[in-house]
Amino acid sequence: MPASSPRNLRSVRDINRRDILFSVARLPNSDTLIVGSSDNKVHELNAGQNNPPDRELADHGRYVTSVRLVGTRTVVSGGYDGRLIWWDRERGEVIRTVAAHTRWVRQLAVSPDGTKLASVADDMVCRIWNATTGERIRELRGHAARTPTNFGSMLYACVFSADGRKLATGDRVGRVIIWNVEDGRQLGAVDAPTLYTWDGVQRIRSIGGVRGLAFNPDGTQIAVGGVGQIGNVDALQGPSRVEVFNWARAERLFFFTGQQGIVNRLVWHPANEWLCAIGGGSNGLVMFHDPARRASIHQGNIPMHVHDVAFNEDHTRLYAVGHQKISVMDLRA
Amino acid sequence: MLRSLLRVMVVTCCSAAAARADDSAKDLLAGDRPIEQVVDHYVDAALKAANVRPAPQADDATIMRRLSLDLVGHIPALSETADFLAASATDKKVKLVDRLLAAPSFARHQAQEFFTFLQASDDPRRAARRTPLFEYLLAGFRENRGWDRMFRDMMLPDEKDKAMRGAGEFLKSRVRDTNRLTIDASVVFLGVNVSCAQCHDHPHVSAWTQDHFYGMKSFFARSFDSGGFVAERDFGFVKYIPNKGKEKVAPVMFLTGKALDVPGLKEPSKEERKKEQERLDQGKKKKTPPAPPQFSLRAKLVETALAPGENDFFARSIVNRVWHRLFGRGLVMPLDQMHIENQASHPQLLQWLARDLVAHKYDLKRLIRGLVLSNAYARGSRWESGDMPPEQLFAVSRLRALTPMQMAVSLKVATTDPMSLTADGKELDKRLEGIERSSEGRASLFTQPGDNFQVSVSEALLFTNNSNLQRELLEGGGTLVTRLKQEPDNARRSDLAVRTVLSRPARAEEIQAISDYLQRRGDRVEAACQQIVWALLTSAEFRFNH
Amino acid sequence: MRKRFCGSGEHVISRRGFLGTMAAGGVAACADMTAIQALAAPEISAELRRNQKRCILLWLAGGASQLETWDPKPGAVTGGPFQAIQTSVPGIHISELMPRMARRLKDTAIIRSLNTRNADHNSAAEMMMRGRPREAGLNYPDLGAVLSRELGQESSPVPDYVAFYFATEGRNMAPSNPGFLGARHGAMDLYTSMIPENIRRNGISEQDHIERADLRGTLSRGFERGRSSLTIDSHSHAYSRVRGLMSSEALFDIGREPQRIRDMYGPTLFGQQTLAARRLVEAGVPFVRVGRAWWDSHGHNFETHQEMVPELDQVMCTLLDDLEQRGLLESTLVITLAEFGRTPNINSQLGRDHFASAWSCSLSGCGIRGGSVYGRSDATGQRVADGEINAARLFATIYRALGINHRKNYHVGARPIPLTDPGTEPIREVLA
């Protein structure tokens, strides 16, 4: 009997905020969240309480787009200043600051064994760092800097596989590259062009991109999330969309769509029970999909546009962060 | 919104007084005189007073073309012109006018003209597309509905009646913006622009106050859009802050200054509000038009505008518009400034025509018939003896650029094989209606002419180089070009081309010029025929109603 | 020469430009001369440069964000993610998305205090193209038509008003409109092709094309005798300009530019059209509008601007450089303007919505005090804190920069219509 049951999804607590939260990391076995904010700072708070006190930590001077824990004490954050900041959350001290990218950092990922940190930014490079020492291990270059219509591209997402040996990165035009972490080789690439809308007729600009990435437990499949084709690129008026590929064969296995909005994060259950997609348009959306049966388990709403999500250890509780709100939800069986 | 409007009014409001003419009826010519005689009486009197001898009457071919364009919306077919020129009866013009007025295309053309002006759109490109309002107008002109009835239909549309749905368009497209509705309705039906902003240098018209604008606005203040229908409340009023003084409730007041005592000029009680909401919600639920209010201010406006003693604005305005259309200039200019400080060029004539129109139940067909039978209408458009006399004397016929529809249909009539357009009444009309229907797209290529209209370079380029237009008009079977090709003699070719396109016999020098042109292209007869037809179509003579 | 313009005495003087005087030698000679040839003669070129003013409007349709361009608010809750960067003028900062313009602000004045009170695309676009809100019963001409009238040459072989707008969104919201100035001052609109419609000869030989027009003229002249009016004159005038305009086709062909120049403008449509605009003003076209649509970023505002602002930065900076190198910048006014700006508040889709209460535009080149900023919005960009101006004052400033009397009247019938409402003053601080 699985511990989590998405059909039972229900709200536990909403915590209102004035800022926009782009990223969340959760301290193991606790309700303590580290969040990256539009007020340029990293905050720590206890989501187990109503109106929790807020502890202000690092300041990037710019939007903080990603926060990740290395072990339980060290937090790494990245933002629109192109820097990565390592800091000791217990002492509240900066350990080191690294000018990691020449453009805006979009996402960080920590390898499952906690030894490596990956960062992606709009300089279209993925860099792998020693998560402890901050030493740069290697650079992964392969995403085109310009879109086919000659505008600057963006590199939004990165994720490690469960065994830590593969890394996937996804860009604005829907390209996903699978890298061999050990030596930086490209192992494969898949394209999800539906997730990128270039409107060359009505509005002459684009919207979309690969926002969420998740490997399946054995690392043979990659799920890619974003928003489907949009008629009016003024807003996120397309179906939220997830495509799943066998990346070695560059073959799309299946896809599913949901309510209007964009999928910002994907989480694949370690026992393959579900694939969770979370994001939003004007409101928040969440989808749980059964990858084995290729059928929807549950699609529902979250009271705000969600940018990131963290789960607890047995995946019975989720902590969604986004537009002026944190939403804690239960999905116990 | 109100505030910004107020600011405009405070700074620049020009005033305009009621348009009531002082000319008392007893000085006017008798009411039983034929319209055309009355027109000439007053116009000739003014000419005499100015010591101007008018241009001579236009020749028969020109008159035929002018009448055809004005009454049925396109140039005459070759056979029609030929018949008219050949006829010798002294009353042949009257017969022609009556034939054209009776033709089905008369109703279509009037509907088109009124449709264009009711749209009152600043964007000429929008006017071309026909909507249900056109269908309403067409039905109206087919049965010669009075203009008062059409006004009532448009102000108080019965949206349950399918045939009347188009009448509601005027309100529906404006009801979300009460200021615009007030201004447009006043301009279109009453000939007065109550917005009056920007008149800083205009002579002041003492009798006009802010109450006149807000008074007119009050008539529309209770109308609103309710689920796609125009609904009206039993309550509601307009408040405004005058130039001097404190905020006040605007009186419900017509342009003549007549103020109405109406119920509901107070905040409704809770209960009244609830009752009213129920009435409106009922319709919304059933998606049917809401029930009318117990007391309709819009109905009051119609009643007042048409009431004896108050109806001058309404009657004079439509007379002026119809006159403007047929003479290229109004008796009052501009058309939306019919206030007392802006005298008509022929005040008594305007007054007589307005009185006549009211007396004959706003019969527009009768008015049009009278105007086109006058000598003033039938003058030549050329003036060669010195400086052109002032326009308002109507001493010489004014050139009028063809409207988009006149242009589009006439182009097709001019370039169709003339032998296929025979003058056999019903059959010909059927063919012409077909041409009209296929001309809407072509009409959108042209701009609706206003006063001081200018032909654009884009139009010249369109005619010069556009291959679609060339194909539509000059290529393929059944065209004038095919007919010309079959005619072996260059002189006869030239004459046929001129007669068909310009609706008159060719002059010797034209035959010479065109024949020479054809002569030099003996090796490419079809291209040469296309080119001469093109040269005629793009001549100023074709572009204008002259 | 027949008087076709009904303007006042000052107006007649203002149009006595070089081509105008040359045209007195004969309309035909002028019409058959290509503008390219006109430019090839150095003395003509120099004369043109001295005398003729012109204007390029980079129209940012849909509403570009002031916060991601000219008026960044880094650190404010409404500021968004981007940084402000120091420009070449000490103390002036603009968005980091515009590094090139930051380096060449010397010819540009930034206005940060527009409060235009209208955040509806249609009517706001009409207003910002005319300098005044719509008024019932008065079809007021847009900026291009006014400049065509004020700066155009009567018998110019080149068009007076060219407007590019390829996007379909917003195209019909505020189409180019000569209003009461009439079609003579209407735009040559380019919607789908870089070459104007109907400008190429089609299925007829050059010889026949010319002689056919001659026959047309012969037949038409017989009719025109004894009939004269603005309307009928415009007819013959329109046809007399056809051959000249056809010869200006080459001006639209950016393929004739060296690759180096084309690369500078970049490969995007906006870049190409702006390059065409430069070719046109260089040949004497007084007004070109390049519509760059569609900035209406209700969702993902920052990424939209991350995509579009660098393009604007490159194109605008290149245009100013290019004009300067050709000695044209001091006689060419370059405007960046939209119908409104975008809300400081960031909505749940990371978008910004319509906002007309405190937004920005820029004026560069002709008649402008470069390297300056006028007006100020408050700390979060919600309101104008200093130097509030409306559309009328902006237009008065534009007219003054181009040497046009903003108080002048047009006449519609007997009614005088001023270029800008009485009492409207240009912004002296941004005028050179």
Side-chain angles (χ1 to χ4, degrees):
Chain A
M1 186 71 184
S4 74
S5 174
R7 282 197 187 89
N8 295 342
L9 190 69
R10 63 174 186 88
S11 170
V12 175
R13 175 176 300 109
D14 286 343
I15 301 167
N16 289 324
R17 297 183 60 92
R18 297 181 60 186
D19 53 356
I20 305 164
L21 302 178
F22 298 105
S23 185
V24 60
R26 176 181 152 274
L27 210 63
N29 302 307
S30 79
D31 287 321
T32 299
L33 305 181
I34 321 281
V35 293
S37 164
S38 65
D39 70 3
N40 305 342
K41 297 187 178 75
V42 176
H43 301 260
E44 181 174 315
L45 54 90
N46 183 350
Q49 307 172 7
N50 295 324
N51 306 315
D54 182 312
R55 188 172 155 224
E56 229 172 63
L57 296 168
D59 188 342
H60 274 260
R62 315 283 292 279
Y63 278 16
V64 179
T65 48
S66 199
V67 287
R68 292 294 175 252
L69 270 161
V70 179
T72 58
R73 242 183 110 155
T74 307
V75 173
V76 190
S77 58
Y80 269 74
D81 56 352
R83 296 182 303 167
L84 300 181
I85 303 180
W86 271 259
W87 43 281
D88 182 322
R89 53 164 286 275
E90 282 177 12
R91 288 197 189 157
E93 279 174 8
V94 171
I95 299 167
R96 79 179 63 81
T97 300
V98 174
H101 291 271
T102 55
R103 306 284 272 178
W104 306 292
V105 172
R106 296 285 187 169
Q107 203 170 57
L108 306 177
V110 176
S111 63
D113 64 2
T115 60
K116 294 187 189 71
L117 174 80
S119 61
V120 287
D122 288 347
D123 56 11
M124 304 309 284
V125 182
C126 175
R127 295 199 166 90
I128 298 181
W129 313 83
N130 180 317
T132 316
T133 65
E135 191 187 344
R136 193 163 89 188
I137 299 172
R138 68 177 41 87
E139 281 186 354
L140 308 176
R141 291 175 185 267
H143 289 275
R146 311 292 290 176
T147 66
T149 46
N150 271 297
F151 290 90
S153 189
M154 301 164 206
L155 188 57
Y156 295 121
C158 59
V159 67
F160 283 97
S161 60
D163 62 9
R165 292 160 71 172
K166 294 173 284 290
L167 179 78
T169 53
D171 69 15
R172 183 159 176 93
V173 298
R175 164 142 284 220
V176 176
I177 300 179
I178 316 294
W179 311 85
N180 188 13
V181 174
E182 191 53 38
D183 57 10
R185 260 186 316 130
Q186 271 195 33
L187 297 173
V190 298
D191 286 301
T194 310
L195 301 184
Y196 169 71
T197 303
W198 163 255
D199 171 0
V201 176
Q202 289 174 275
R203 292 171 173 83
I204 315 192
R205 68 164 206 266
S206 70
I207 198 166
V210 171
R211 309 287 169 148
L213 286 171
F215 280 101
N216 72 338
D218 71 10
T220 56
Q221 296 174 18
I222 184 83
V224 184
V227 55
Q229 287 290 297
I230 293 181
N232 177 350
V233 298
D234 287 347
L236 296 170
Q237 289 174 2
S240 52
R241 183 178 174 98
V242 176
E243 302 190 5
V244 178
F245 295 85
N246 176 319
W247 57 264
R249 293 206 302 266
E251 177 193 354
R252 193 174 77 191
L253 302 173
F254 64 96
F255 73 92
F256 58 94
T257 60
Q259 68 184 72
Q260 247 184 29
I262 190 165
V263 171
N264 285 319
R265 269 286 270 156
L266 288 167
V267 177
W268 205 311
H269 190 278
N272 206 33
E273 283 172 18
W274 42 252
L275 168 63
C276 171
I278 202 158
S282 294
N283 293 307
L285 65 89
V286 59
M287 298 185 277
F288 287 92
H289 205 79
D290 182 340
R293 288 172 41 241
R294 298 184 183 176
S296 172
I297 299 169
H298 175 76
Q299 294 201 0
N301 294 312
I302 295 185
M304 80 293 189
H305 186 117
V306 180
H307 292 291
D308 198 9
V309 66
F311 280 86
N312 67 350
E313 281 68 17
D314 64 358
H315 292 83
T316 55
R317 176 165 285 198
L318 68 79
Y319 304 83
V321 303
H323 194 77
Q324 299 177 335
K325 217 185 277 294
I326 297 170
S327 193
V328 183
M329 302 181 96
D330 250 3
L331 53 155
R332 246 181 267 280
Chain B
M1 186 72 202
L2 191 68
R3 276 198 102 87
S4 65
L5 190 82
L6 270 175
R7 202 165 307 117
V8 173
M9 300 286 290
V10 169
V11 179
T12 59
C13 181
C14 74
S15 41
R20 182 98 47 97
D22 289 325
D23 320 289
S24 61
K26 63 179 186 314
D27 296 333
L28 296 179
L29 289 185
D32 57 359
R33 294 276 292 272
I35 295 175
E36 58 273 25
Q37 285 181 20
V38 175
V39 168
D40 287 325
H41 171 85
Y42 286 117
V43 172
D44 289 348
L47 283 165
K48 209 173 156 195
N51 199 20
V52 170
R53 244 178 66 188
Q57 295 284 289
D59 60 32
D60 279 358
T62 303
I63 287 298
M64 168 83 214
R65 184 177 188 269
R66 192 181 293 170
L67 284 169
S68 184
L69 281 164
D70 278 334
L71 300 181
V72 295
H74 53 78
I75 62 165
L78 177 69
S79 58
E80 291 178 284
T81 313
D83 288 352
F84 184 67
L85 297 185
S88 53
T90 49
D91 64 345
K92 70 178 184 175
K93 184 167 102 176
V94 180
K95 278 192 175 136
L96 170 67
V97 167
D98 286 332
R99 173 171 81 73
L100 293 173
L101 289 172
S105 44
F106 172 75
R108 290 198 300 272
H109 179 55
Q110 303 314 306
Q112 181 67 42
E113 292 282 320
F114 275 76
F115 176 66
T116 305
F117 110 75
L118 284 168
Q119 297 281 80
S121 165
D122 288 339
D123 179 3
R125 275 170 275 204
R126 258 174 47 193
R129 199 158 298 127
R130 290 175 172 179
T131 66
L133 176 60
F134 175 82
E135 299 304 326
Y136 166 78
L137 291 165
L138 182 58
F141 282 104
R142 275 193 181 134
E143 58 180 60
N144 199 27
R145 259 174 227 159
W147 179 237
D148 56 338
R149 158 102 191 270
M150 294 204 241
F151 170 55
R152 188 176 292 117
D153 287 348
M154 285 187 267
M155 286 290 113
L156 302 165
D158 178 1
E159 293 184 288
K160 274 182 238 144
D161 183 349
K162 227 177 171 178
M164 299 294 279
R165 207 157 283 171
E169 222 174 84
F170 182 86
L171 278 181
K172 207 182 286 179
S173 62
R174 294 166 171 86
V175 72
R176 288 203 178 94
D177 181 347
T178 312
N179 282 331
R180 183 175 165 224
L181 176 56
T182 306
I183 292 164
D184 280 3
S186 308
V187 167
V188 162
F189 295 108
L190 305 170
V192 179
N193 189 333
V194 285
S195 77
C196 261
Q198 308 289 333
C199 283
H200 49 95
D201 280 339
H202 207 275
H204 280 266
V205 188
S206 49
W208 197 266
T209 68
Q210 284 177 290
D211 278 355
H212 284 86
F213 175 80
Y214 291 101
M216 281 303 285
K217 186 175 169 177
S218 298
F219 285 109
F220 297 106
R222 298 176 181 177
S223 300
F224 67 102
D225 180 285
S226 168
F229 295 105
V230 177
E232 189 172 356
R233 294 194 173 86
D234 262 315
F235 301 93
F237 46 86
V238 174
K239 273 191 208 163
Y240 77 100
I241 306 169
N243 291 353
K244 291 171 201 154
K246 278 189 240 157
E247 185 178 70
K248 63 184 269 192
V249 173
V252 178
M253 189 173 96
F254 189 61
L255 295 172
T256 50
K258 184 181 171 63
L260 276 70
D261 191 18
V262 303
L265 285 186
K266 56 176 172 55
E267 298 292 350
S269 70
K270 239 184 186 170
E271 193 152 310
E272 285 169 323
R273 211 187 286 272
K274 200 177 142 204
K275 231 170 101 188
E276 180 170 86
Q277 201 52 47
E278 277 167 11
R279 169 174 71 86
L280 297 168
D281 285 348
Q282 258 179 9
K284 233 178 189 173
K285 254 182 241 153
K286 285 187 277 182
K287 298 209 162 146
T288 57
Q294 288 184 344
F295 183 90
S296 164
L297 274 178
R298 259 188 286 122
K300 217 63 199 162
L301 172 63
V302 173
E303 188 186 303
T304 310
L306 297 175
E310 311 293 329
N311 57 10
D312 263 353
F313 276 104
F314 182 74
R316 288 157 51 97
S317 171
I318 190 63
V319 165
N320 197 40
R321 268 194 192 275
V322 172
W323 181 284
H324 174 270
R325 180 147 75 76
L326 297 172
F327 288 83
R329 179 192 166 87
L331 291 168
V332 179
M333 287 297 280
L335 299 184
D336 65 352
Q337 297 293 328
M338 297 189 72
H339 52 73
I340 201 152
E341 298 288 321
N342 188 22
Q343 274 285 348
S345 56
H346 302 71
Q348 290 179 307
L349 173 56
L350 178 58
Q351 197 57 19
W352 190 96
L353 290 170
R355 187 185 71 182
D356 183 74
L357 189 71
V358 175
H360 292 88
K361 301 192 173 128
Y362 294 94
D363 179 349
L364 294 179
K365 193 183 234 182
R366 183 177 182 282
L367 172 65
I368 291 169
R369 182 179 186 278
L371 298 187
V372 300
L373 285 175
S374 69
N375 292 331
Y377 172 83
R379 292 197 225 291
S381 58
R382 176 166 278 162
W383 189 267
E384 293 182 291
S385 47
D387 282 351
M388 193 88 106
E391 282 173 11
Q392 63 268 27
L393 286 176
F394 302 100
V396 55
S397 182
R398 196 169 150 82
L399 296 188
R400 289 168 285 147
L402 302 192
T403 65
M405 260 317 251
Q406 283 175 332
M407 188 72 182
V409 178
S410 297
L411 281 169
K412 197 67 186 173
V413 172
T415 53
T416 299
D417 178 2
M419 308 314 160
S420 71
L421 295 175
T422 54
D424 171 17
K426 265 201 177 141
E427 193 52 38
L428 179 61
D429 195 77
K430 233 182 181 170
R431 287 225 48 198
L432 288 171
E433 192 181 355
I435 289 178
E436 264 175 57
R437 237 181 284 123
S438 65
S439 294
E440 274 186 59
R442 192 163 44 249
S444 67
L445 299 172
F446 303 101
T447 311
Q448 177 69 30
D451 295 324
N452 293 322
F453 171 71
Q454 295 178 54
V455 176
S456 68
V457 177
S458 313
E459 182 180 311
L461 281 167
L462 172 83
F463 274 109
T464 305
N465 294 324
N466 187 280
S467 52
N468 287 340
L469 196 61
Q470 156 111 4
R471 208 172 305 125
E472 265 181 61
L473 302 177
L474 303 177
E475 293 173 13
T479 58
L480 170 62
V481 169
T482 334
R483 177 66 58 186
L484 293 174
K485 227 169 55 181
Q486 289 161 13
E487 167 60 59
D489 178 69
N490 278 342
R492 277 209 293 277
R493 262 187 196 151
S494 309
D495 186 54
L496 179 61
V498 171
R499 279 176 191 277
T500 310
V501 178
L502 300 181
S503 316
R504 62 165 172 82
R507 286 185 280 274
E509 69 272 19
E510 288 168 338
I511 292 180
Q512 187 66 51
I514 298 171
S515 297
D516 285 354
Y517 191 92
L518 292 168
Q519 186 73 40
R520 289 196 300 276
R521 287 162 181 77
D523 60 334
R524 46 187 195 285
V525 176
E526 179 161 11
C529 291
Q530 286 174 346
Q531 288 163 23
I532 62 161
V533 173
W534 179 90
L536 290 165
L537 289 176
T538 54
S539 68
E541 186 169 353
F542 185 81
R543 187 65 181 84
F544 296 96
N545 189 354
H546 50 81
Chain C
M1 192 178 303
R2 195 179 272 150
K3 190 175 154 214
R4 289 204 178 83
F5 300 93
C6 64
S8 61
E10 95 193 293
H11 170 69
V12 172
I13 292 162
S14 81
R15 76 174 40 262
R16 199 175 292 149
F18 182 72
L19 280 178
T21 11
M22 191 172 68
V27 173
C30 194
D32 279 338
M33 175 198 67
T34 70
I36 289 288
Q37 283 165 338
L39 287 171
E43 69 282 8
I44 296 177
S45 207
E47 191 71 30
L48 247 178
R49 277 169 198 178
R50 258 199 302 283
N51 288 344
Q52 202 205 339
K53 304 260 202 298
R54 38 212 121 195
C55 177
I56 295 175
L57 171 59
L58 303 179
W59 176 250
L60 309 180
S65 168
Q66 68 283 4
L67 295 148
E68 276 71 52
T69 52
W70 303 117
D71 193 12
K73 301 280 174 193
V77 61
T78 52
F82 299 115
Q83 198 58 272
I85 51 173
Q86 172 67 53
T87 65
S88 55
V89 182
I92 302 180
H93 294 75
I94 61 175
S95 170
E96 68 173 320
L97 297 175
M98 306 189 83
R100 297 184 203 219
M101 279 310 299
R103 287 194 295 272
R104 84 144 354 275
L105 206 66
K106 66 183 172 76
D107 297 306
T108 299
I110 299 169
I111 294 170
R112 286 178 174 158
S113 50
L114 282 161
N115 178 4
T116 49
R117 296 191 170 88
N118 182 344
D120 161 65
H121 284 297
N122 274 290
S123 46
E126 273 186 34
M127 176 170 66
M128 296 317 295
M129 283 192 191
R130 286 163 184 71
R132 57 173 69 215
R134 168 190 280 243
E135 181 192 328
L138 181 68
N139 189 358
Y140 198 83
D142 63 17
L143 180 64
V146 170
L147 297 189
S148 159
R149 156 95 179 234
E150 297 302 321
L151 306 176
Q153 310 297 334
E154 183 170 347
S155 299
S156 166
V158 298
D160 292 324
Y161 175 1
V162 176
F164 291 93
Y165 199 116
F166 275 30
T168 56
E169 186 64 23
R171 186 193 290 168
N172 296 324
M173 288 183 183
S176 52
N177 178 17
F180 58 67
L181 291 179
R184 167 69 185 79
H185 299 290
M188 183 175 264
D189 284 306
L190 290 96
Y191 292 140
T192 52
S193 159
M194 290 288 285
I195 303 293
E197 266 186 302
N198 304 322
I199 203 167
R200 250 178 223 164
R201 191 160 46 80
N202 211 320
I204 180 170
S205 71
E206 177 73 3
Q207 182 75 14
D208 277 3
H209 195 273
I210 293 169
E211 291 186 20
R212 184 182 71 167
D214 290 345
L215 178 65
R216 192 208 75 78
T218 306
L219 295 171
S220 215
R221 266 191 299 283
F223 176 78
E224 286 161 26
R225 186 170 47 80
R227 295 179 170 106
S228 176
S229 72
L230 184 73
T231 305
I232 192 170
D233 292 352
S234 75
H235 187 265
S236 52
H237 186 249
Y239 280 91
S240 77
R241 288 189 71 195
V242 161
R243 297 279 309 169
L245 286 171
M246 287 174 68
S247 74
S248 73
E249 180 184 336
L251 296 177
F252 294 85
D253 182 5
I254 58 166
R256 295 174 185 236
E257 289 287 322
Q259 192 58 43
R260 183 184 61 82
I261 301 281
R262 299 182 61 181
D263 290 345
M264 277 164 47
Y265 281 88
T268 63
L269 197 60
F270 183 45
Q272 292 174 18
Q273 291 174 348
T274 305
L275 173 53
R278 192 228 76 212
R279 287 176 60 80
L280 289 162
V281 297
E282 187 177 31
V285 175
F287 181 82
V288 183
R289 182 176 72 233
V290 185
R292 171 61 172 116
W294 177 248
W295 293 76
D296 199 17
S297 50
H298 293 287
H300 283 189
N301 171 74
F302 305 110
E303 292 175 9
T304 297
H305 283 76
Q306 196 180 323
E307 179 170 86
M308 296 172 82
V309 179
E311 180 196 36
L312 171 65
D313 187 47
Q314 174 181 0
V315 168
M316 180 177 177
C317 184
T318 301
L319 174 65
L320 297 182
D321 282 345
D322 197 8
L323 288 170
E324 185 175 40
Q325 277 158 24
R326 287 161 203 272
L328 292 168
L329 189 53
E330 60 193 50
S331 60
T332 307
L333 176 66
V334 176
I335 306 171
T336 68
L337 184 65
E339 66 265 46
F340 44 59
R342 306 213 73 84
T343 47
N345 291 343
I346 297 160
N347 69 26
S348 66
Q349 301 193 26
L350 295 177
R352 295 193 194 269
D353 302 313
H354 305 175
F355 185 65
S357 308
W359 57 289
S360 308
C361 67
S362 77
L363 305 172
S364 308
C366 177
I368 293 300
R369 177 181 298 167
S372 64
V373 169
Y374 179 81
R376 189 165 57 82
S377 58
D378 68 13
T380 54
Q382 300 283 9
R383 282 193 181 77
V384 172
D386 186 32
E388 175 172 317
I389 65 157
N390 57 14
R393 286 202 68 193
L394 174 64
F395 270 60
T397 310
I398 289 170
Y399 292 138
R400 290 308 306 170
L402 289 165
I404 297 164
N405 178 5
H406 68 283
R407 293 199 182 93
K408 130 180 217 172
N409 280 322
Y410 289 140
H411 287 84
V412 176
R415 178 181 169 187
I417 312 286
L419 239 56
T420 52
D421 279 346
T424 304
E425 287 302 317
I427 310 168
R428 306 266 168 220
E429 291 87 338
V430 309
L431 292 170

